[in-house]
Amino acid sequence: MKLLPLGRTPLSVSVAASTPFRHRHFSASKFDDENDPRFVSILSDIVRGTKSWKVAFNDACVSSKLRPHHVEQVLINTLDDPKLALRFFNFLGLHKNLNHSTTSFAILVHALVQARLFWPANSLLQTLFLRGSDPKLIFSYFLDSHRQCKFSSTLGFDLLVQNYLQNARVFDAVFIVKLMLANALLPEVRTLSALLNGLLKIRKFITVWELFDESVNAGVQPDPYTCSAVVRSLCELKDFFRAKEKILWMESNRFDLSIVTYNVLIHGLCKGDRVWEAVEVKRSLGEKGLKADVVTYCTLVLGFCRVQQFEAGIQLMNEMVELGLAPTEAAISGLVEGLRKQGKIDNAYDLVVKVGGFGFLPNLFVCNALINSLCKGGDLDKAESLYNNMCLMNLRPNDITYSILIDSFCRRGRLDVAITYFDRMIEDGIKETVYAYNSLINGQCKFGDLSAAEFLFTEMINKGLEPTATTFTTLISGYCKDLQLQKAFKLYNEMIGKRITPNIYTFTALISGLCRTNQLAEASKLFDELMERKIKPTEVTYNVMIEGYCRDGNIGKAFALLDDMLQKGLVPDTYTYRPLISGLCSTGRVSEAKDFIDGLHKQNLKLNEMCYSALLHGYCQEGRLMDALSASCEMVQRGINMDLVCHAVLIDGALKQLDRKMLFGLLKEMHDQGLRPDDVIYTSMIDAYSKEGSFKKAFECWDLMVTEECFPNIVTYTALMNGLCKAGEMDRAGLLFKKMLAANVHPNSITYGCFLDRLTKEGNMKEAIGLHHAMVKGLLANTVTYNILIRGFSKLGKFHEATKILSEMTENGIFPDCITYSTLIYEYCRSGNVGAAVKLWDTMLNKGLEPDLVAYNLLIYGCCVNGELNKAFELRDDMLRRGVKPRQHLRALQKGQYRSSS
């Protein structure tokens, strides 16, 4: 049948289903004449012939007459060979710059699609879209060409829709489908599915179910994915009733529904926090001949996580694993992370172990979070086990995993394990981080040694890592705790030089170091400096300053800081109150300390055992044992249990008062509370018995201590040996010393001092010197032991030997104190050599030592008894200038009442 020529001006397109496209004839343009069919025939022969197209179309007779409508006719004539038609089409565009008509594009696309040549058809549509033609116009040409050429397939329209979708022109695609339906052309179900999912992506949910209904009513038979799309749209609109109704309608119409559609409904219900409704949908699957799959289970698990019903989630996870379904990483991660956030760390860990046995793990983020929680809870073994499982199951730990483990082991003093993980991190090809180094440095400062921390600091810099404020502050804090203030401030200045801003922790560490070395003035300056820098001090900063002033006896300043702290809105704690209570007690103001505690109690501020132990100690120091006992009863009434320290304080007080009845009552009370005496309490008892010469009781106490598996320490040994030495029982003390060495307890300078003191008092200077040499060799000699030797030689009148010891002391880097000089001065005065005493006095002053009241008294007394009254008055005046308060006999000296005695 001879085809009519195709025109280029289509009729209008109606979208409404009631007015489909009318069939129309293609009218020829004014250029057409009676020779056109002959010209088209010539062109068709050229295309099908063997002559060169280039030569043929270079002929002026051909090229001058060639128009787009001729090309349309040639394409129609070559529909039996779409590849040839495409070559011809491309040849004219490439070599003759012919602007093809939209009709030519439409004819060729339909032809190619019918021949299953989708790729070139796609390419043609992309070129057509570049022209910017209106979709309505393009559809009209496609419809006209499809009807005129009587193509059997409508795939060209489907391809047109799909290309609009590929170009993110979703609404144009919807428009084409609606035109198709209006003209009784049914899109393929996969085209409709793609379009509905495209609409879902841009959240046009209402359009989804409207288009679905329109397509189904027109005769499109939906597949599971199309059905799923419309159910999802209704779920996104939270219209769950309608979604369920839609599925019932689909079931009644025997649509092809799969588990996918029901999973979409389950997902929607879970997302809407209607998890138990979703569970009911899962239960109904068996009635429909379907089985819940991994998506069903995992969706429900995540749904239960969403509403924080983790027990139900665990049950589903167990059911899924028992069915042999592999849970997704997301489901495991959601469940584990949910349990972890609820503080159910053990449950989370147990779940990981269980699913890990089947070869599944949460994602790396969740594993790291769980390891961190386990470490914080002190379950380092479980954290390591989880790390090992990660490695076994090829879930590679990252720098965060290693940083958590390194930091956790460092914080607990297990530096060897932390270093092992640091080495593994490097072996795994993970670059060292400043965080890992900071943790190691902090660990070494707290539990290792500063030299190792310094080495790590240097290594870190050599590897190109820039130290942070945390790095510097950690080392500064380490130096301050070790009382190496010079190094601490050197590092602080280096930190400033690198323009790393010190923080409150840096300042607090330095202030703490200054307070501990009794440099309160410098600490106060630094405290003022941080205020000037607009750095807000924390409770810890104030606590450090308060404790420093209390230790220095400046209780007024300490309480002034407490007031300042409260004004700034900071909350004091037991670390604030304890030094204040101790400070009041140490300055003889125990009653004020009690009033202070009572005032805090009235404010409902609960103190701890440390605060009360300070008060108990204050009472006992003043010999007020009954007041201490009364305070301890009040403490218990206020809900604070007596701990071992409190009992130790009271027991020590009872021992000093020689109140054995009270002692045994306290021990019984401890026993009734389920507390056992520790080494401190046993040592106090042994020391008290030793000092009173009750060695039988002391050794009985010793035996009881060992029986209770509370082993004596160096303090215990020294207390008993000191008592034996003072009682002249040197042989028994010597045997105990050997026993101590056999127990691998190492003596200290105090231990040696016990023996040294006894030997010098007995005048046995030869043995004393031998012992002294052993102490010097063991680096145990100190100012106290040197003073004992000097006193021994001086009492024997051996001033040459005493002076020699004084010189040796200085040469060994041990500095004499006021007692050193006072000892020699007293013996010089006693022997009548006031000149030598005064000369030694001047040496002491030149060395910058401040003489105390005892030193003044000794020399003034010596001057008086030796008739050197002018020197005595001179010393008295110097003492007054230095603010040292004279004793009674010095006031008598002032009045001229002192009489020298022979």
Side-chain angles (χ1 to χ4, degrees), residues 576-593:
T576 317
Y577 299 128
R578 183 189 55 78
L580 289 167
I581 296 163
S582 294
L584 288 168
C585 291
S586 64
T587 53
R589 298 157 67 181
V590 183
S591 296
E592 286 183 49

mmCIF file of all heavy atoms in Angstrom, residues 576-593:
data_model
loop_
_atom_site.group_PDB
_atom_site.id
_atom_site.type_symbol
_atom_site.label_atom_id
_atom_site.label_comp_id
_atom_site.label_asym_id
_atom_site.label_seq_id
_atom_site.Cartn_x
_atom_site.Cartn_y
_atom_site.Cartn_z
ATOM 1 N N THR A 576 36.610 20.631 98.415
ATOM 2 C CA THR A 576 36.716 22.023 98.868
ATOM 3 C C THR A 576 36.660 22.070 100.391
ATOM 4 O O THR A 576 37.460 22.767 101.038
ATOM 5 C CB THR A 576 35.540 22.863 98.314
ATOM 6 O OG1 THR A 576 35.308 22.543 96.951
ATOM 7 C CG2 THR A 576 35.817 24.345 98.448
ATOM 8 N N TYR A 577 35.706 21.338 100.979
ATOM 9 C CA TYR A 577 35.464 21.429 102.413
ATOM 10 C C TYR A 577 36.524 20.717 103.248
ATOM 11 O O TYR A 577 36.857 21.160 104.346
ATOM 12 C CB TYR A 577 34.081 20.849 102.742
ATOM 13 C CG TYR A 577 32.950 21.587 102.068
ATOM 14 C CD1 TYR A 577 31.983 20.922 101.316
ATOM 15 C CD2 TYR A 577 32.847 22.983 102.175
ATOM 16 C CE1 TYR A 577 30.953 21.605 100.697
ATOM 17 C CE2 TYR A 577 31.822 23.670 101.554
ATOM 18 C CZ TYR A 577 30.874 22.979 100.820
ATOM 19 O OH TYR A 577 29.863 23.657 100.203
ATOM 20 N N ARG A 578 37.057 19.604 102.737
ATOM 21 C CA ARG A 578 38.017 18.826 103.540
ATOM 22 C C ARG A 578 39.226 19.646 103.980
ATOM 23 O O ARG A 578 39.570 19.653 105.168
ATOM 24 C CB ARG A 578 38.461 17.578 102.762
ATOM 25 C CG ARG A 578 39.415 16.673 103.542
ATOM 26 C CD ARG A 578 39.991 15.591 102.667
ATOM 27 N NE ARG A 578 40.640 16.120 101.481
ATOM 28 C CZ ARG A 578 41.851 16.666 101.470
ATOM 29 N NH1 ARG A 578 42.544 16.770 102.592
ATOM 30 N NH2 ARG A 578 42.382 17.106 100.354
ATOM 31 N N PRO A 579 39.922 20.370 103.036
ATOM 32 C CA PRO A 579 41.081 21.155 103.501
ATOM 33 C C PRO A 579 40.697 22.271 104.470
ATOM 34 O O PRO A 579 41.473 22.602 105.367
ATOM 35 C CB PRO A 579 41.667 21.711 102.198
ATOM 36 C CG PRO A 579 40.612 21.588 101.167
ATOM 37 C CD PRO A 579 39.780 20.434 101.575
ATOM 38 N N LEU A 580 39.489 22.849 104.298
ATOM 39 C CA LEU A 580 39.049 23.908 105.213
ATOM 40 C C LEU A 580 38.863 23.350 106.623
ATOM 41 O O LEU A 580 39.263 23.979 107.612
ATOM 42 C CB LEU A 580 37.736 24.522 104.703
ATOM 43 C CG LEU A 580 37.851 25.383 103.442
ATOM 44 C CD1 LEU A 580 36.465 25.657 102.857
ATOM 45 C CD2 LEU A 580 38.572 26.691 103.724
ATOM 46 N N ILE A 581 38.268 22.158 106.697
ATOM 47 C CA ILE A 581 38.073 21.513 108.001
ATOM 48 C C ILE A 581 39.426 21.148 108.606
ATOM 49 O O ILE A 581 39.693 21.416 109.789
ATOM 50 C CB ILE A 581 37.179 20.265 107.852
ATOM 51 C CG1 ILE A 581 35.774 20.681 107.388
ATOM 52 C CG2 ILE A 581 37.119 19.468 109.140
ATOM 53 C CD1 ILE A 581 34.937 19.552 106.814
ATOM 54 N N SER A 582 40.323 20.570 107.789
ATOM 55 C CA SER A 582 41.667 20.201 108.258
ATOM 56 C C SER A 582 42.439 21.440 108.700
ATOM 57 O O SER A 582 43.148 21.414 109.705
ATOM 58 C CB SER A 582 42.448 19.482 107.150
ATOM 59 O OG SER A 582 41.869 18.251 106.856
ATOM 60 N N GLY A 583 42.298 22.537 107.901
ATOM 61 C CA GLY A 583 43.006 23.772 108.220
ATOM 62 C C GLY A 583 42.577 24.338 109.555
ATOM 63 O O GLY A 583 43.415 24.773 110.364
ATOM 64 N N LEU A 584 41.262 24.363 109.801
ATOM 65 C CA LEU A 584 40.766 24.858 111.084
ATOM 66 C C LEU A 584 41.293 23.993 112.229
ATOM 67 O O LEU A 584 41.719 24.507 113.276
ATOM 68 C CB LEU A 584 39.240 24.862 111.088
ATOM 69 C CG LEU A 584 38.544 25.935 110.223
ATOM 70 C CD1 LEU A 584 37.057 25.635 110.086
ATOM 71 C CD2 LEU A 584 38.753 27.328 110.809
ATOM 72 N N CYS A 585 41.281 22.679 112.036
ATOM 73 C CA CYS A 585 41.752 21.758 113.082
ATOM 74 C C CYS A 585 43.245 21.925 113.350
ATOM 75 O O CYS A 585 43.686 21.927 114.507
ATOM 76 C CB CYS A 585 41.456 20.314 112.691
ATOM 77 S SG CYS A 585 39.685 19.918 112.696
ATOM 78 N N SER A 586 44.024 22.074 112.282
ATOM 79 C CA SER A 586 45.484 22.169 112.446
ATOM 80 C C SER A 586 45.911 23.475 113.109
ATOM 81 O O SER A 586 47.021 23.574 113.629
ATOM 82 C CB SER A 586 46.177 22.031 111.086
ATOM 83 O OG SER A 586 45.820 23.116 110.245
ATOM 84 N N THR A 587 45.032 24.485 113.077
ATOM 85 C CA THR A 587 45.355 25.764 113.726
ATOM 86 C C THR A 587 44.660 25.884 115.084
ATOM 87 O O THR A 587 44.491 26.999 115.607
ATOM 88 C CB THR A 587 44.959 26.949 112.817
ATOM 89 O OG1 THR A 587 43.570 26.802 112.421
ATOM 90 C CG2 THR A 587 45.824 27.001 111.582
ATOM 91 N N GLY A 588 44.242 24.746 115.633
ATOM 92 C CA GLY A 588 43.660 24.736 116.962
ATOM 93 C C GLY A 588 42.232 25.236 117.034
ATOM 94 O O GLY A 588 41.759 25.616 118.112
ATOM 95 N N ARG A 589 41.535 25.238 115.918
ATOM 96 C CA ARG A 589 40.161 25.764 115.893
ATOM 97 C C ARG A 589 39.181 24.624 115.578
ATOM 98 O O ARG A 589 38.352 24.702 114.672
ATOM 99 C CB ARG A 589 40.056 26.878 114.865
ATOM 100 C CG ARG A 589 40.956 28.056 115.202
ATOM 101 C CD ARG A 589 41.303 28.910 113.993
ATOM 102 N NE ARG A 589 40.154 29.621 113.446
ATOM 103 C CZ ARG A 589 40.221 30.408 112.366
ATOM 104 N NH1 ARG A 589 41.379 30.560 111.733
ATOM 105 N NH2 ARG A 589 39.140 31.019 111.922
ATOM 106 N N VAL A 590 39.291 23.552 116.363
ATOM 107 C CA VAL A 590 38.503 22.355 116.095
ATOM 108 C C VAL A 590 37.015 22.632 116.296
ATOM 109 O O VAL A 590 36.170 22.145 115.537
ATOM 110 C CB VAL A 590 38.959 21.178 116.990
ATOM 111 C CG1 VAL A 590 38.185 19.913 116.643
ATOM 112 C CG2 VAL A 590 40.446 20.938 116.830
ATOM 113 N N SER A 591 36.683 23.432 117.310
ATOM 114 C CA SER A 591 35.274 23.739 117.571
ATOM 115 C C SER A 591 34.664 24.499 116.406
ATOM 116 O O SER A 591 33.507 24.278 116.032
ATOM 117 C CB SER A 591 35.145 24.552 118.863
ATOM 118 O OG SER A 591 35.592 23.776 119.964
ATOM 119 N N GLU A 592 35.470 25.401 115.803
ATOM 120 C CA GLU A 592 34.991 26.131 114.625
ATOM 121 C C GLU A 592 34.781 25.171 113.452
ATOM 122 O O GLU A 592 33.841 25.336 112.661
ATOM 123 C CB GLU A 592 35.994 27.215 114.228
ATOM 124 C CG GLU A 592 36.009 28.428 115.153
ATOM 125 C CD GLU A 592 36.974 29.487 114.671
ATOM 126 O OE1 GLU A 592 36.924 29.835 113.456
ATOM 127 O OE2 GLU A 592 37.787 29.959 115.482
ATOM 128 N N ALA A 593 35.671 24.190 113.348
ATOM 129 C CA ALA A 593 35.535 23.182 112.284
ATOM 130 C C ALA A 593 34.226 22.409 112.460
ATOM 131 O O ALA A 593 33.502 22.146 111.488
ATOM 132 C CB ALA A 593 36.724 22.226 112.313
#
